[in-house]
Amino acid sequence: KSGLDPGGAWHAWGMACLKAGNLSSAREKFNRCLKPPMDLNQLSQGSRLVQDVIQYLESTVKPILIADDDYFATLRELETTLRTRSLSLEMMCEGKIQHNSYYQECLFYLHSYGTNLAIISFYMRHDCMREALLHLLNKESPSEVFIEGIFIPSYESGKLHMLENLLETIDPGLESWGVYLIAACKYLQRKNYYHILYELQQFMKDHVRAAMTCIRFFTHGAKSYTELGGKQTWLLKIKDHLKVYLQEVSRSSGRKKMTFTFRKKMSATDVSRHINTVDLQMEVTKFLHRCESSGTSQMTGSSLPTLFGNNNMKMDVACKVMLEGKNIEEGFGIAFRVLQDFQLEATEVYSKVAKQLVKQQKYSEIRQLLKCVNESGAAAKNDGDNIILNCLNEFKNIPPEDLDNLIQDMDSDENKIQAYVMCNKLRSAYLVSVRQEKTRAVQLVQHVRQLAENSGDHVVKAICAQWL
């Protein structure tokens, strides 16, 4: 009469019937106020009304078997019970759920009015993980439902191994779980749960991704190569994963079709390249660990460079190896291999090292660096000269004698002149200029005279004018 929504009244009446143990009447009353959700895959436990019903039924688990309940059962209740039974036949959990009428009621309400997440959560609460997984597969629920309803409860309650065993039992190839497993890995990565992630990747036999996780274990949080020295077992594990992957690829290449659809793929060439990187990183780690232990190490940077970073980081590794040994020669071999293997800009690296040596006032080491570069067999004609030119920006800090020695070490006269000009040694620039072929000598001397005039060096200006 008053036009109010009767839903609340029906719900209260249904709850009263439940509490009185009259399950069939309760179904009838709830049928008038409960509605199935619009989206069965929504990430919620369904409407508050349904949750209240389930909560009450779960708290009132009476050992009444369906057989003993026949006295109350109307024909319609029997029919609905049978329908619920057929709905969730292969979901039925052995034991108490199957035989308890209150649990059966829960399943009736959940299948009629609940979301997939609510059904799965119900099974998980009552240790029916297999049924939860089968429901997920049968309804083709999205991966969010798997994460929320099955995966998180499993690892939080320490049942990850049990989950893995069931996944394998239901589908030994794990193909039908691929989407769910990849989603679980992404979730763990977002949460920074790398140990669980690594455990899951090993279970998935996803060797390439497992190797990537090992790289993170090796590099993350390390502040020195002494620390990395203690984490070398991770490098061995990376190699193991990559080798197993190579074996699997070569085994399956004979077959027509490669099944591992959800596991990360990589070409055999790339895998071999990564194995070489790991080998080289092991050498670098041992060498720098030894340098740090013996106290020859001098470089301290904010981040620790490894060969698993980008090219700039790899160049930093090459610099670090050259600078941290007893002398340049000791680390040059490893640094040279880094430059070769990753096709890095060698001159840029050598120039960086030379500038660092100027800062450390190790001028004889710069000459040793040039010797190593020239003997490496991979240096271009002007590489040595360019290295010296690049470090002359700091010429004000270099003692005159060492500066002269460095410039004298240059191969090309043109470069020597350029170096003397950079260091404002115009008289020396003039002396080298006049030794050149006549036409070129005139051009060079004119250039030196102009510079002398600009800088107010009247002596050199007069010498140049007299020669010209």
Side-chain angles (χ1 to χ4, degrees), residues 33-309:
C33 62
L34 297 179
K35 291 183 179 64
M38 298 288 282
D39 174 16
L40 287 172
N41 285 321
Q42 60 183 266
L43 282 184
S44 82
Q45 296 289 341
S47 75
R48 186 65 253 174
L49 300 181
V50 178
Q51 288 181 56
D52 287 346
V53 173
I54 301 301
Q55 218 168 344
Y56 174 75
L57 286 168
E58 281 185 305
S59 67
T60 321
V61 178
K62 293 180 181 176
I64 302 172
L65 303 179
I66 288 182
D68 300 337
D69 215 18
D70 283 345
Y71 185 76
F72 299 109
T74 61
L75 280 170
R76 194 156 84 238
E77 184 192 351
L78 210 59
E79 191 189 335
T80 48
T81 305
L82 288 169
R83 200 171 70 244
T84 319
R85 263 303 187 54
S86 62
L87 254 176
S88 54
L89 192 59
E90 57 180 332
M91 317 283 175
M92 281 305 175
C93 217
E94 291 305 317
K96 57 182 182 180
I97 290 195
Q98 196 163 2
H99 299 302
N100 189 294
S101 60
Y102 277 78
Y103 279 125
Q104 286 306 310
E105 283 307 292
C106 288
L107 286 172
F108 167 77
Y109 286 109
L110 286 168
H111 281 286
S112 306
Y113 311 111
T115 60
N116 285 328
L117 180 60
I119 296 167
I120 285 168
S121 300
F122 174 79
Y123 283 132
M124 291 295 285
R125 276 199 302 280
H126 299 288
D127 295 328
C128 296
M129 195 186 281
R130 181 189 169 82
E131 286 67 23
L133 287 167
L134 289 171
H135 184 85
L136 180 88
L137 268 192
N138 289 346
K139 300 295 177 188
E140 296 178 354
S141 293
S143 47
E144 292 80 11
V145 174
F146 170 72
I147 302 283
E148 201 68 36
I150 299 175
F151 187 69
I152 296 175
S154 294
Y155 79 70
E156 282 183 347
S157 59
K159 291 181 180 170
L160 193 57
H161 281 298
M162 184 179 164
L163 171 63
E164 290 172 352
N165 291 338
L166 277 169
L167 293 175
E168 218 163 17
T169 310
I170 295 168
D171 176 4
L174 299 178
E175 286 303 316
S176 43
W177 304 116
V179 178
Y180 300 120
L181 288 168
I182 293 295
C185 288
K186 285 178 179 168
Y187 166 81
L188 292 169
Q189 206 165 355
R190 277 199 309 276
K191 287 281 189 181
N192 287 334
Y193 294 163
Y194 284 95
H195 288 281
I196 304 176
L197 173 65
Y198 182 52
E199 151 79 31
L200 191 62
Q201 286 167 338
Q202 289 180 94
F203 161 72
M204 290 159 66
K205 297 184 175 60
D206 194 347
H207 294 292
V208 175
R209 286 194 182 96
M212 290 157 79
T213 306
C214 290
I215 290 175
R216 191 195 180 273
F217 283 133
F218 175 70
T219 54
H220 186 68
K223 296 282 188 290
S224 69
Y225 261 89
T226 307
E227 277 180 54
L228 286 184
K231 296 168 94 176
Q232 287 186 74
T233 44
W234 289 113
L235 292 176
L236 297 171
K237 285 184 180 178
I238 298 168
K239 271 182 79 170
D240 290 343
H241 284 299
L242 293 176
K243 282 177 178 171
V244 171
Y245 177 78
L246 273 184
Q247 286 165 4
E248 286 183 359
V249 169
S250 63
R251 268 206 303 270
S252 58
S253 59
R255 297 176 208 148
K256 294 253 171 91
K257 182 170 165 283
M258 200 172 160
T259 44
F260 322 128
T261 48
F262 63 90
R263 297 175 179 98
K264 189 167 177 66
K265 292 185 182 61
M266 195 179 269
S267 72
T269 324
D270 282 349
V271 175
S272 302
R273 209 159 36 86
H274 286 304
I275 291 174
N276 286 340
T277 301
V278 174
D279 285 334
L280 198 47
Q281 180 62 55
M282 283 176 103
E283 272 195 66
V284 167
T285 307
K286 282 173 188 162
F287 177 77
L288 291 175
H289 181 200
R290 199 171 66 242
C291 293
E292 285 181 7
S293 307
S294 63
T296 55
S297 169
Q298 295 195 352
M299 279 181 78
T300 47
S302 51
S303 66
L304 197 62
T306 68
L307 298 178
F308 299 119

